[in-house]
Amino acid sequence: MFKLTSVAFIIASICSICSISTAQASEPIEVIKPAVITEPEKVELGKMLFFEPRLSMSGFISCNSCHNLSLGGVDALPTSIGHEWQEGPINSPTVLNADYMLAQFWDGRAATLKEQAAGPIDNPKEMGYTHELAVGTIASMPAYVARFKAIYGSEEVNIDRITDAIAVFEKTLVTPNSPFDKYLEGDKKAITADAQAGYQLFKDKGCVACHNGPAVGGTMYMKMGLVKPFHTDNPAVGRKGVTGKEADKFVFKVPTLRNIELTYPYFHDGSVWTLEEAVNTMADIQLGQEMSEKETKQMVDFLKSLTGDQPQIMLPILPPSNENTPRPVPFK
């Protein structure tokens, strides 16, 4: 009897797992999994470089300045502030779950996180440095050189290794265990009835055509203003700036909706500060639909259920500068 009961229990357990897996597979949104760290030393170096302000001309701006890990991986500004207080051209997208994106930047001009990490360093409107100066700065500090040698096998510091380490760190910045993930895994009480109704609306109204997969977005490009024009003073033209094709004007990478309640203001121009307005704007210009007040509330409740565990980051202690380290130039 014991053996039969044990076998029955195992079969029931397998069937339950299969049932959950089948249910998840039928949904357009997938569960975000915790990061698996296989290179802890490289992750730590990447974290140091992510928080390293001396990768900028001013000695003040780091990757974390625009992708603040205390603020959902954004800077909570319409457009970012760069070198010498210059206004950035576009809203800073979140770095959280960025490894799930088909490409980086709103216009997708960087294919990988590593390529993206190189961009702001030598952008005169962002960190205002050059790759050569950045490499020289890091190479001037023995503690950094020792880490590069231990990880890469030689003392050489170059932009390829710097951006590689930053990218490996950024790949760990995932946000699992959201209430909605738990709902997908079978806990139907993990989200409210309004959030469940909001998810059904999200599917019924067609939002999932663009916002799907683990990151609930980031897997395709789409025109901003598909049904009606999106009115903005922002000069960004989207993919057209990369491809040169008129058909790509105002076509942008579909943003992730993970942690969306934390990553305001919204859209590439950062013009909208509330989820309610964002939901109604997208329904209007992308779907040609009007949302009732109740539907908007339900949709927002669903979107808030996508907020997962935020990365728990212990701030790194960075090596001190020395007489060989280039001096910061914060002002002309």
Side-chain angles (χ1 to χ4, degrees), residues 84-149:
E84 294 185 334
W85 213 251
Q86 293 181 84
E87 181 181 354
I90 205 163
N91 181 257
S92 179
T94 181
V95 72
L96 301 181
N97 305 305
D99 193 37
Y100 286 96
M101 306 294 103
L102 82 164
Q104 304 301 317
F105 296 115
W106 279 97
D107 59 10
R109 66 184 181 275
T112 64
L113 284 172
K114 180 178 175 181
E115 186 179 344
Q116 185 279 327
I121 294 173
D122 69 349
N123 187 320
K125 279 195 169 186
E126 295 186 58
M127 298 172 82
Y129 224 10
T130 67
H131 288 163
E132 292 74 20
L133 286 171
V135 167
T137 297
I138 298 303
S140 73
M141 293 174 260
Y144 269 131
V145 173
R147 285 181 179 269
F148 275 86
K149 182 178 181 180

Side-chain angles (χ1 to χ4, degrees), residues 15 19 27 31 40 49 64 71 84 106 125 127 130-131 171 178 182 256 268 276 296 305 315:
C15 289
S19 177
E27 296 293 347
V31 172
L49 295 169
N64 193 65
L71 293 171
E84 294 185 334
W106 279 97
K125 279 195 169 186
M127 298 172 82
T130 67
H131 288 163
K171 288 178 181 180
S178 72
K182 294 175 183 177
T256 174
H268 70 275
E276 289 79 6
T296 299
S305 77
L315 289 176

Side-chain angles (χ1 to χ4, degrees), residues 4 26 31 34 41 46 62 78 133 144 148 156 180 205 207 210 212 221 263 303 321 331:
L4 287 174
S26 66
V31 172
E41 294 83 6
S62 69
L133 286 171
Y144 269 131
F148 275 86
E156 181 183 359
F180 187 74
K205 288 187 177 293
C207 306
C210 297
N212 49 59
Y221 300 105
T263 58
L303 292 174
S321 298
F331 311 107

Side-chain angles (χ1 to χ4, degrees), residues 76 108 160 232 245 291 313:
D160 183 73
T232 179
K245 297 177 181 178
M291 303 277 286
I313 303 296

Side-chain angles (χ1 to χ4, degrees), residues 9-30:
F9 175 76
I10 291 170
I11 292 173
S13 298
I14 292 172
C15 289
S16 176
I17 292 170
C18 290
S19 177
I20 292 172
S21 298
T22 302
Q24 289 180 19
S26 66
E27 296 293 347
I29 298 174
E30 300 168 35

Side-chain angles (χ1 to χ4, degrees), residues 142-216:
Y144 269 131
V145 173
R147 285 181 179 269
F148 275 86
K149 182 178 181 180
I151 294 166
Y152 293 102
S154 75
E155 294 185 348
E156 181 183 359
V157 177
N158 56 46
I159 197 64
D160 183 73
R161 289 178 173 182
I162 288 173
T163 54
D164 175 63
I166 292 174
V168 169
F169 167 65
E170 290 180 341
K171 288 178 181 180
T172 71
L173 302 177
V174 297
T175 58
N177 302 317
S178 72
F180 187 74
D181 284 327
K182 294 175 183 177
Y183 172 78
L184 286 180
E185 290 173 329
D187 182 359
K188 300 309 177 185
K189 295 183 179 180
I191 63 176
T192 66
D194 273 349
Q196 292 184 42
Y199 178 46
Q200 191 61 50
L201 284 169
F202 192 78
K203 292 189 285 187
D204 291 345
K205 288 187 177 293
C207 306
V208 293
C210 297
H211 293 285
N212 49 59
V216 199

